[in-house]
């Protein structure tokens, strides 16, 4: 499962149809953690091509929380990008909402990275059994 979430993070940084296809396929994984990571990866990938798959996954999902996350991801991807040409015609409220969504996305990304680091740090190392405790001295 950890390997798949790592792959999702890698695919989200790519800009090719195969990576997006892999991300969208994981929206229907049997593992909830992978589905959640796939939703985040779809948002990070940033392609509007993911919107139909996100909406379809929401329609077929029984978990209300996941349905909301899927639909929010679709809504997020439907927003115009900041790099679009022309003047910014958003209202101050829209700008504030976009800024808040961006901060929330960044916070979720940071939490995900911290969670992944904690998982990697909690895996026992192969020489852990040979280490001494803090109160023990090495005897030679």
């Amino acid at each position: 499962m950890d390997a798949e979430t790592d792959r999702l993070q890698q695919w989200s940084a790519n800009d090719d149809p195969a990576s997006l296809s892999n991300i969208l396929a994981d929206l229907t994984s049997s593992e909830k953690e992978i589905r959640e990571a796939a939703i985040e990866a779809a948002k990070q990938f940033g392609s509007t091509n993911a919107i139909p798959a996100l909406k379809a996954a929401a329609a077929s999902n029984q978990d209300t929380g996941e349905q909301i996350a899927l639909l929010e991801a679709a809504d997020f991807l439907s927003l115009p990008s900041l790099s679009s040409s022309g003047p910014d015609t958003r209202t101050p409220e829209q700008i504030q909402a976009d800024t808040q969504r961006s901060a929330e996305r960044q916070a979720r990304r940071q939490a995900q990275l911290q969670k992944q680091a904690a998982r990697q740090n909690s895996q026992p190392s192969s020489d852990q059994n040979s280490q001494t405790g803090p109160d023990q001295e090495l005897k030679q």
Side-chain angles (χ1 to χ4, degrees):
M1 185 167 34
D2 291 342
E4 188 64 17
T5 55
D6 291 345
R7 281 192 290 272
L8 281 163
Q9 286 180 341
Q10 291 170 353
W11 291 327
S12 71
N14 295 341
D15 188 20
D16 63 282
S19 293
L20 180 59
S21 178
N22 291 333
I23 291 168
L24 299 179
D26 275 347
L27 290 173
T28 57
S29 170
S30 61
E31 298 288 333
K32 182 173 181 148
E33 185 176 322
I34 292 174
R35 291 192 307 270
E36 290 172 347
I39 293 168
E40 187 61 31
K43 289 168 46 179
Q44 294 294 325
F45 193 89
S47 174
T48 56
N49 293 332
I51 294 172
L54 289 163
K55 288 182 176 181
S60 65
N61 198 312
Q62 301 302 316
D63 182 317
T64 306
E66 281 188 51
Q67 287 176 330
I68 291 169
L70 287 158
L71 293 174
E72 285 179 346
D75 287 346
F76 171 79
L77 291 173
S78 67
L79 294 172
S81 73
L82 295 176
S83 62
S84 61
S85 61
D88 190 351
T89 58
R90 297 176 298 165
T91 66
E93 291 81 12
Q94 290 171 322
I95 293 170
Q96 183 179 8
D98 289 348
T99 302
Q100 183 177 355
R101 276 193 291 270
S102 178
E104 289 170 356
R105 185 176 71 247
Q106 181 63 28
R108 282 193 304 271
R109 176 83 170 137
Q110 186 65 33
Q112 186 179 35
L113 290 173
Q114 289 173 347
K115 183 177 170 183
Q116 182 181 14
R119 273 196 312 255
Q120 289 174 349
N121 290 338
S122 68
Q123 293 177 356
S125 61
S126 59
D127 65 341
Q128 197 171 28
N129 293 335
S130 64
Q131 296 176 354
T132 61
D135 297 335
Q136 298 174 338
E137 295 181 38
L138 289 175
K139 296 181 181 177
Q140 295 181 352

